[in-house]
Amino acid sequence: MRITVRRGAASVGLTTLVAVWLTACGPPGVGQVGIGVDALGRPVGFVQVCTGHVDTARLVVESEADIDNRLGSWNVEPVVTNASSWSLERGGGGWTAPKPLGALTEGTVYSLHVGARDSSGTAGSVLFKLSDLKAMSPGQVRYYDYRRAEASAPAIEPTGSRAEQAIGENAFMKVESEAHF
């Protein structure tokens, strides 16, 4: 009886640990995307892949207008299956851009998206403003905190204008050291 109880408790503990580990990257998707800065304060993209792969990224302006709001895009070879980072201005680590990144402006909400060109998965997106980047130090990563969003369930999608939605979603952004990302 005593052995069965211990095995049962160990089984429950192991199952809980595996469940937490499997959801660490946040559903749905293949990983997590983040934004940070280098030593000169220039934007750096971060991606962490748990399953599958990613090979493309795009930076868009959160705009009310129905226009092409893409400010920058990058592709990487070979595909990323673990972790990667790149300068949004210069590329690097296999990441290249067809054209240089345009200037970021104060007060504008940006969204960095990372995924797979074959649509097999996404690492999600991260919202930020230039002021968010200016408040960061090299080695810090801003990302969408899926655990916090899930904890506030039932999650309600922010409503209103895109700017109002971005303000609502900003509550779920988190900044931590690169080591904790």
Side-chain angles (χ1 to χ4, degrees):
M1 177 75 170
R2 187 179 256 173
I3 293 172
T4 305
V5 171
R6 286 186 182 161
R7 282 186 188 162
S11 177
V12 168
L14 183 59
T15 302
T16 303
L17 181 62
V18 169
V20 167
W21 177 73
L22 288 174
T23 60
C25 284
V30 299
Q32 182 89 35
V33 62
I35 188 78
V37 296
D38 65 13
L40 298 176
R42 297 176 297 204
V44 176
F46 292 88
V47 65
Q48 193 175 68
V49 179
C50 294
T51 61
H53 71 276
V54 297
D55 57 7
T56 189
R58 71 186 192 287
L59 180 66
V60 299
V61 174
E62 291 293 316
S63 170
E64 295 302 320
D66 225 6
I67 57 170
D68 181 7
N69 58 356
R70 187 177 319 184
L71 185 61
S73 63
W74 302 263
N75 294 316
V76 64
E77 288 193 19
V79 299
V80 176
T81 57
N82 48 30
S84 182
S85 63
W86 73 102
S87 167
L88 272 58
E89 291 183 3
R90 300 179 330 277
W95 291 90
T96 58
K99 66 177 188 168
L101 177 67
L104 303 182
T105 57
E106 291 289 344
T108 302
V109 178
Y110 300 96
S111 183
L112 179 63
H113 302 259
V114 178
R117 284 183 290 231
D118 65 6
S119 300
S120 62
T122 179
S125 64
V126 59
L127 294 170
F128 66 96
K129 292 181 181 178
L130 188 55
S131 59
D132 296 318
L133 296 182
K134 288 179 177 180
M136 295 177 72
S137 300
Q140 291 182 312
V141 181
R142 177 182 169 92
Y143 63 96
Y144 188 88
D145 187 358
Y146 289 101
R147 289 187 188 119
R148 191 161 150 199
E150 289 171 0
S152 67
I156 298 173
E157 197 61 30
T159 59
S161 70
R162 287 187 180 167
E164 291 168 333
Q165 291 176 28
I167 290 168
E169 290 180 357
N170 191 52
F172 298 111
M173 297 297 152
K174 185 174 190 174
V175 176
E176 285 195 327
S177 71
E178 191 176 337
H180 289 101
F181 169 67

